[in-house]
Amino acid sequence: MDSIGPRGLQQREGALGCPQEGLPCPSNSSELVQECLQQFEVTEAQLRQIQSSLLGSMEQALGGQASPAPAVRMLPTYVGSIPHGTEQGDFVVLELGASGASLRVLWVTLMGTEGCKIEPRSQEFVIPQEVMLGPGQQLFDFAARCLSEFLDTLPVGKQGLQLGFNFSFPCHQTGLDKSTLISWTKGFKCSGVEGQDVVQLLRDAIQRQGTYSIDVVAVVNDTVGTMMGCEPGVGPCEVGLVVDTGTNACYMEEARHVAVLDEDRGRVCISVEWGSFSDDGALGPVWTIFDRTLDQESLNPGAQRFEKMIGGLYLGELVRLVLADLVRRGVLFDGSTSPVLLSPGSILLEHVAEMDDPSAGAARLHAVLQFLGLNLRTSDAELVQQVCVAVCTRAARLCAAALAAILSRLQHIREQRSLQIAVATGGRVFERHPRFLSILQETVKCLAPECGVSFIPSVDGGGQGVAMVTAVAARLAAHRRLLEETLAPFRLTHEQLVAVQRQMREAMAKGLKGKPSSLRMLPTYVRATPDGSERGDFLALDLGGTNFRVLLVHVASGDVQITNQIYSIPEYMAQGSGQQLFDHIVDCIVDFQQKQGLSGQSLPLGFTFSFPCRQLGLDKGILMNWTKGFSASDCEGQDVVFLLREAIRRKKAVELNVVALVNDTVGTMMSCGYENPHCEVGLIVGTGTNACYMEELRNVTSVPGDSGRMCINMEWGAFGDDGSLGMLSTHFDARVDQASINPGRQRFEKMISGMYLGEIVRHILLHLTSLGVLFRGQHIQCLQTRDIFKTKFLSEIESDSLALRQVRAILEDLGLPLTSDDALMVLEVCQAVSRRAAQLCGAGVAAVVERIRENRDLEKLTVSVGVDGTLYKLHPHFSSLVAETVRELAPRCVVTFLQSKDGSGKGAALVTAVACRLAQMTRV
Ligand code: 0WK
Ligand code: BGC
Ligand code: BGC
């Protein structure tokens, strides 16, 4: 008779007996017996007390209460959905701990919806005592040996096997395949395992065994396997209840109620771990002297007290302790004891189940007792049976009280008075003990009359259920691999960033020398940053970013006041005729002048024109090509100042004195330089991206003179247009480039700036959807729309303060029907794309500051960079990632990033002011 026996219990001195301490001594044996059996009677009131106290502990634990530590653990299992029957494939299941001193290996084939059910093949292995109590490595090596022994009997390959690990002990799970053992229970006490990730221990043991390559993709508690193994036809079961050597239950809780999970949608399966329930108030009154003795003699005294009143590992021992005491009192077996009654763990669940079985009949009862070496009179046999009935009835009723607590919880979270629920049951107490389920059902009906509970025995002890979870885990693991493969090209290595920095340095040098280079290194005719002596009122235009602004800038001593107005440049105008565009610009200026009471005044004007211009002077610049969604006709190759003046003339507007044409990088550098003289670099990371810096004039071959410096507009957006970035470009970048209005151009910009990051993300999401990784592979209409995924979503989604639920909300507003796993993946895609952008931008800045340092032959350079641009300013991590990359690639430069407060319009006005001051000086 194989068995689940309390081989874990060790004898300890000083065991106590019945009747209860402090109560008058009963006169005759039957009274004494009744007195003894009565202790196992639990009243309905006591059951309700246990029900509500357990419910209280469940809610405390769900709420994350740490101290006093709730009596139950409520452990999330990362199983978020019950199977939808589509799971397919062959899986190995390793069961450890559910049924005492045995380990079971199963081969389960899931046929998905179409196929019929294939009976799993399985093999059970007895775990030697010394293995259950020895070093952890020995236990896991034993498991790995059993695995290969079992697989040797099957016609299966040695590669690519997927395993679900049914590990029936309390664990902190941090993923479907990552679980740390909190404490052993039941007959196990291996060293070096508590606090460890049991999946890793098993993987290491399988590795050491070396015969099969098995991927452990999921670890599952037996209650979860039981619930998931519920026959789809009858379920879905939303509660899994196990009463085997130990006892426990799991159920589907609303994720938003689980404090440790940052979730607000959907459900998650919680392993209650009610075995540790031990609230003195509720349990004290029903906890007998026998329970205390059993607990003190157990492997884990003080722990799992509730389990020790219900679990199959303990029922036999409780019966033995009661019988032993009744013998000591001379009430049983004429007071003559026997080796069985003296040796802990000698009475097994099977014995109790048989003796408790009314249908077994006296003969069978005698047979069991003889097997136990107990010779007795009939009356003794009846008494023994009564003891078994008392112990088991109590166990079933206590189990019912605990289950009723879960039912109350489900009623509460489902706001349903009457609840119809299916409970999957598993474990040898259910299988072997004839009356356990019926007593449980009865008691549940009494404690939760408004709940319609159907008890569904799980098929093959949850093996199928574990295979289901493994299938889900395998699918998620496969998705994760596909996600990693897709995002791998976005994860730039240090070496790759150093290469970008080096290539940019080379391109800068070539560009300055006028050699073929993707960096045009355009002289800006800005020779100095403001020195604070500028004075006057200036008009400024700021075109090329998200907004077109007209500004009035009043420069006084050390103080600059700005009044500005934002005007929009509709797409049809940005991509219409140049004449229309510049006419619109003049209309805005006139509107601004009227509003500011400047009509008729001709203030010096600085024009921030954020596009590549070959400047022939401070107020003369030929537009080389449009970027960033602009393509107005008849402008490229034209002097944009002339185009503006022409528009002023056409509009018969007041003559404006356009003094300076400034790139937004230059305007930003000047604007920040006004407060900080170290500011010698300008950086824009907004709709587009670019940088400028103060270069030694001697290195600017296209401008005469070799003393002093001049600000160079790098136009780094075009870096790599010569293919030098080919090794970094992904097919998502190629898709975005091909769909842009300037394919093949601004390749660096298209990997970094706000106009494109959202599109890169959209193409990656489409790709992952086509692989079935996202949105269950469904066709998502909204994702087909260009620019639907705005870059600002990246900034919002990646914000640390956002819980996953808020990420989902943003994505659902977009029309994306997603699960939490989907939301997590979208978040990772955004993080990968923005991180690459920030690192590439950082590599560019590192190239610039290193050049300045070497230009000035400095050991160490301290320099500030004026920055502007929506992406840089609003993205939660972009700026810190840029700074981090610069520190990594230019360790001899101390770089401070100054976020421009007033935009480059102020800078343009200051450039104008400097020009006016210089012009003033030459005039006097
Ligand atoms: C604000 C500056 C403007 C620049 C813009 C770039 O005043 O010159 O073009 O930042 O950022 P975006 O608006 O493209 O995000
Ligand atoms: C363990 C649970 C398990 C239960 C039933 C208990 O001892 O702590 O994790 O579910 O036994 O096997
Ligand atoms: C333009 C640059 C500008 C940058 C930032 C790029 O597309 O070519 O001139 O500085 O965008 O706005």
Side-chain angles (χ1 to χ4, degrees):
M1 182 189 288
D2 69 3
S3 65
I4 47 174
R7 294 202 297 208
L9 293 181
Q10 308 306 324
Q11 177 63 29
R12 280 234 191 103
E13 64 283 356
L16 310 171
C18 70
Q20 293 283 18
E21 282 120 35
L23 291 176
C25 215
S27 57
N28 64 32
S29 61
S30 66
E31 252 186 41
L32 214 159
V33 170
Q34 288 322 313
E35 167 81 25
C36 189
L37 294 180
Q38 236 155 36
Q39 292 176 67
F40 286 90
E41 278 167 22
V42 186
T43 65
E44 185 179 329
Q46 287 169 329
L47 290 175
R48 288 191 185 287
Q49 169 78 17
I50 291 167
Q51 177 186 358
S52 67
S53 164
L54 182 58
L55 181 59
S57 302
M58 287 168 64
E59 286 162 355
Q60 284 165 358
L62 284 174
Q65 177 185 310
S67 74
V72 289
R73 293 199 174 92
M74 302 300 276
L75 303 168
T77 67
Y78 285 78
V79 169
S81 60
I82 35 198
H84 32 71
T86 58
E87 290 75 15
Q88 291 188 0
D90 294 319
F91 300 94
V92 187
V93 172
L94 171 67
E95 281 183 359
L96 178 60
S99 45
S102 72
L103 173 159
R104 194 162 70 126
V105 188
L106 301 91
W107 179 267
V108 180
T109 301
L110 299 178
M111 300 301 288
T113 39
E114 66 283 346
C116 60
K117 185 169 148 20
I118 298 191
E119 271 316 303
R121 276 159 290 176
S122 70
Q123 186 174 351
E124 198 151 321
F125 300 84
V126 174
I127 309 172
Q129 173 89 349
E130 62 281 10
V131 172
M132 289 171 69
L133 302 173
Q137 180 162 328
Q138 178 184 254
L139 173 68
F140 284 90
D141 286 343
F142 175 81
R145 265 199 312 283
C146 298
L147 260 177
S148 55
E149 201 179 305
F150 170 70
L151 293 169
D152 290 347
T153 64
L154 297 178
V156 297
K158 295 210 176 300
Q159 299 303 321
L161 300 172
Q162 294 184 306
L163 181 140
F165 186 19
N166 185 346
F167 186 71
S168 311
F169 299 93
C171 290
H172 276 312
Q173 236 174 305
T174 47
L176 264 172
D177 64 345
K178 202 168 175 3
S179 197
T180 304
L181 174 63
I182 299 170
S183 61
W184 286 114
T185 62
K186 299 165 280 190
F188 286 77
K189 202 161 190 58
C190 296
S191 56
V193 181
E194 287 174 345
Q196 302 299 315
D197 174 6
V198 292
V199 173
Q200 197 49 49
L201 292 173
L202 180 60
R203 285 179 177 145
D204 299 346
I206 291 169
Q207 190 94 15
R208 283 192 296 273
Q209 179 71 19
T211 44
Y212 287 88
S213 102
I214 301 172
D215 184 6
V216 183
V217 290
V219 58
V220 185
N221 182 266
D222 56 347
T223 55
V224 180
T226 299
M227 182 186 76
M228 296 290 268
C230 207
E231 286 300 336
V234 288
C237 295
E238 295 177 274
V239 176
L241 168 59
V242 167
V243 186
D244 198 307
T245 51
T247 181
N248 183 21
C250 69
Y251 73 100
M252 295 305 286
E253 172 65 66
E254 300 297 328
R256 69 178 176 279
H257 296 142
V258 186
V260 289
L261 293 179
D262 139 21
E263 256 304 339
D264 83 330
R265 275 322 132 78
R267 293 182 176 157
V268 64
C269 179
I270 296 287
S271 165
V272 177
E273 285 296 340
W274 63 24
S276 62
F277 176 66
S278 63
D279 160 24
D280 290 349
L283 219 49
V286 298
W287 205 54
T288 69
I289 190 83
F290 306 107
D291 298 306
R292 186 203 312 273
T293 308
L294 181 149
D295 176 47
Q296 284 161 348
E297 292 174 356
S298 72
L299 266 181
N300 52 352
Q304 299 295 100
R305 288 194 173 152
F306 193 60
E307 172 163 85
K308 289 167 183 166
M309 302 167 90
I310 300 172
L313 181 62
Y314 307 101
L315 296 179
E317 182 58 8
L318 279 171
V319 168
R320 182 190 73 81
L321 288 167
V322 175
L323 298 181
D325 192 69
L326 290 172
V327 167
R328 230 192 331 279
R329 304 235 152 255
V331 199
L332 199 58
F333 314 140
D334 296 332
S336 58
T337 188
S338 75
V340 163
L341 283 186
L342 295 174
S343 51
S346 56
I347 298 182
L348 307 178
L349 168 68
E350 287 67 27
H351 303 142
V352 175
E354 288 215 67
M355 294 193 280
D356 176 321
D357 184 353
S359 63
R364 183 79 201 111
L365 178 60
H366 276 263
V368 173
L369 289 168
Q370 247 133 25
F371 170 79
L372 289 170
L374 299 168
N375 302 318
L376 57 156
R377 299 161 302 191
T378 309
S379 61
D380 287 339
E382 276 156 22
L383 189 49
V384 171
Q385 188 168 48
Q386 282 176 26
V387 171
C388 292
V389 168
V391 169
C392 295
T393 304
R394 181 188 71 165
R397 285 167 63 78
L398 289 174
C399 185
L403 180 58
I406 291 181
L407 297 175
S408 315
R409 175 74 193 158
L410 288 168
Q411 281 177 298
H412 169 69
I413 56 179
R414 310 268 163 88
E415 289 142 8
Q416 285 171 322
R417 225 25 252 101
S418 66
L419 185 74
Q420 295 306 318
I421 195 102
V423 174
T425 58
R428 296 183 191 203
V429 173
F430 281 113
E431 290 152 16
R432 305 274 170 85
H433 195 289
R435 293 177 322 111
F436 193 92
L437 180 58
S438 54
I439 299 167
L440 177 77
Q441 275 172 315
E442 239 170 73
T443 313
V444 166
K445 236 192 242 106
C446 156
L447 297 174
E450 59 302 317
C451 293
V453 183
S454 47
F455 291 89
I456 321 282
S458 82
V459 285
D460 67 51
Q464 180 101 354
V466 175
M468 289 279 192
V469 176
T470 311
V472 174
R475 190 180 65 222
L476 289 177
H479 287 178
R480 167 130 312 273
R481 264 193 306 282
L482 288 168
L483 179 72
E484 282 314 320
E485 277 160 28
T486 303
L487 296 181
F490 288 85
R491 312 222 191 271
L492 303 182
T493 63
H494 175 75
E495 291 63 34
Q496 285 175 310
L497 291 170
V498 168
V500 170
Q501 180 187 16
R502 181 175 37 68
Q503 283 167 324
M504 185 167 279
R505 289 291 305 272
E506 288 157 9
M508 289 170 75
K510 286 192 196 137
L512 284 170
K513 294 198 180 75
K515 292 190 185 138
S517 164
S518 61
L519 289 181
R520 300 196 185 99
M521 306 302 282
L522 304 166
T524 66
Y525 292 84
V526 170
R527 304 285 307 273
T529 48
D531 63 4
S533 64
E534 299 72 22
R535 294 284 180 281
D537 290 339
F538 305 90
L539 268 183
L541 305 178
D542 186 352
L543 176 73
T546 314
N547 307 306
F548 168 51
R549 294 189 308 160
V550 181
L551 306 88
L552 170 62
V553 182
H554 174 69
V555 183
S557 63
D559 170 35
V560 175
Q561 275 149 21
I562 296 173
T563 317
N564 73 82
Q565 170 110 19
I566 290 179
Y567 294 88
S568 70
I569 305 279
E571 188 170 271
Y572 74 86
M573 225 176 244
Q575 296 174 5
S577 77
Q579 179 162 326
Q580 183 190 32
L581 172 63
F582 279 88
D583 286 352
H584 173 66
I585 290 170
V586 172
D587 290 344
C588 299
I589 298 170
V590 172
D591 171 75
F592 180 78
Q593 285 181 316
Q594 279 157 359
K595 285 195 177 122
Q596 301 302 324
L598 298 170
S599 302
Q601 288 189 42
S602 163
L603 291 176
L605 182 143
F607 186 6
T608 301
F609 184 76
S610 311
F611 301 93
C613 288
R614 182 171 303 293
Q615 288 208 234
L616 309 175
L618 195 56
D619 63 347
K620 191 172 176 52
I622 309 301
L623 173 61
M624 304 171 85
N625 59 273
W626 285 115
T627 64
K628 291 177 291 186
F630 277 72
S631 61
S633 60
D634 315 321
C635 296
E636 291 180 340
Q638 303 298 318
D639 169 12
V640 289
V641 174
F642 173 77
L643 294 175
L644 178 60
R645 288 183 177 138
E646 277 301 288
I648 292 166
R649 195 181 47 70
R650 271 194 306 278
K651 291 279 179 176
K652 298 191 181 32
V654 176
E655 187 43 50
L656 287 174
N657 169 15
V658 183
V659 170
L661 177 72
V662 177
N663 182 264
D664 55 353
T665 54
V666 180
T668 300
M669 182 188 79
M670 294 297 271
S671 169
C672 297
Y674 193 68
E675 271 100 33
N676 176 318
H678 287 299
C679 185
E680 299 189 84
V681 178
L683 171 66
I684 296 286
V685 191
T687 317
T689 184
N690 186 17
C692 73
Y693 71 101
M694 297 307 288
E695 176 57 73
E696 309 305 318
L697 196 54
R698 68 174 179 275
N699 298 333
V700 185
T701 53
S702 60
V703 176
D706 54 11
S707 68
R709 299 180 180 132
M710 175 174 284
C711 178
I712 296 296
N713 167 9
M714 299 174 64
E715 284 300 332
W716 79 8
F719 178 53
D721 286 8
D722 55 0
S724 58
L725 277 179
M727 80 290 188
L728 292 183
S729 181
T730 68
H731 66 266
F732 305 109
D733 297 309
R735 301 288 298 277
V736 169
D737 178 53
Q738 280 138 25
S740 71
I741 62 171
N742 55 350
R745 310 189 78 161
Q746 302 294 102
R747 297 308 298 269
F748 193 58
E749 176 162 85
K750 286 170 183 166
M751 294 169 110
I752 293 177
S753 75
M755 184 160 192
Y756 306 100
L757 294 189
E759 273 298 279
I760 297 172
V761 168
R762 182 175 70 87
H763 283 290
I764 296 173
L765 299 184
L766 284 170
H767 172 69
L768 291 171
T769 308
S770 67
L771 295 176
V773 170
L774 275 177
F775 317 121
R776 292 181 198 230
Q778 289 158 29
H779 171 80
I780 307 288
Q781 186 46 41
C782 71
L783 270 185
Q784 314 305 323
T785 316
R786 255 196 75 174
D787 292 330
I788 182 88
F789 202 100
K790 299 272 179 271
T791 297
K792 73 178 171 69
F793 293 145
L794 276 80
S795 300
E796 288 167 13
I797 286 171
E798 292 183 54
S799 144
D800 300 344
S801 61
L802 265 199
L804 189 61
R805 62 176 167 280
Q806 287 149 319
V807 172
R808 283 179 67 155
I810 292 169
L811 297 170
E812 272 157 0
D813 293 353
L814 258 182
L816 295 175
L818 72 174
T819 65
S820 301
D821 294 322
D822 288 336
L824 264 176
M825 288 201 202
V826 172
L827 176 59
E828 282 189 57
V829 170
C830 294
Q831 288 165 338
V833 170
S834 62
R835 182 179 179 80
R836 179 188 71 164
Q839 289 180 311
L840 287 173
C841 181
V845 173
V848 172
V849 293
E850 270 294 290
R851 177 167 177 97
I852 295 174
R853 185 183 66 75
E854 287 174 15
N855 274 353
R856 300 174 193 182
D857 201 11
L858 295 171
E859 190 39 48
K860 203 170 169 45
L861 172 76
T862 299
V863 66
S864 298
V865 175
V867 192
D868 209 332
T870 320
L871 178 58
Y872 185 94
K873 283 184 165 177
L874 298 187
H875 190 283
H877 308 298
F878 199 96
S879 53
S880 56
L881 283 169
V882 171
E884 183 190 306
T885 309
V886 172
R887 274 194 301 278
E888 187 191 323
L889 300 180
R892 297 161 70 179
C893 301
V894 179
V895 180
T896 309
F897 291 86
L898 309 168
Q899 289 210 13
S900 157
K901 285 190 284 308
D902 313 302
S904 61
K906 169 184 165 185
L910 290 167
V911 170
T912 307
V914 171
C916 295
R917 175 167 56 74
L918 293 178
Q920 191 80 10
M921 279 154 60
T922 52
R923 262 201 298 278
V924 290

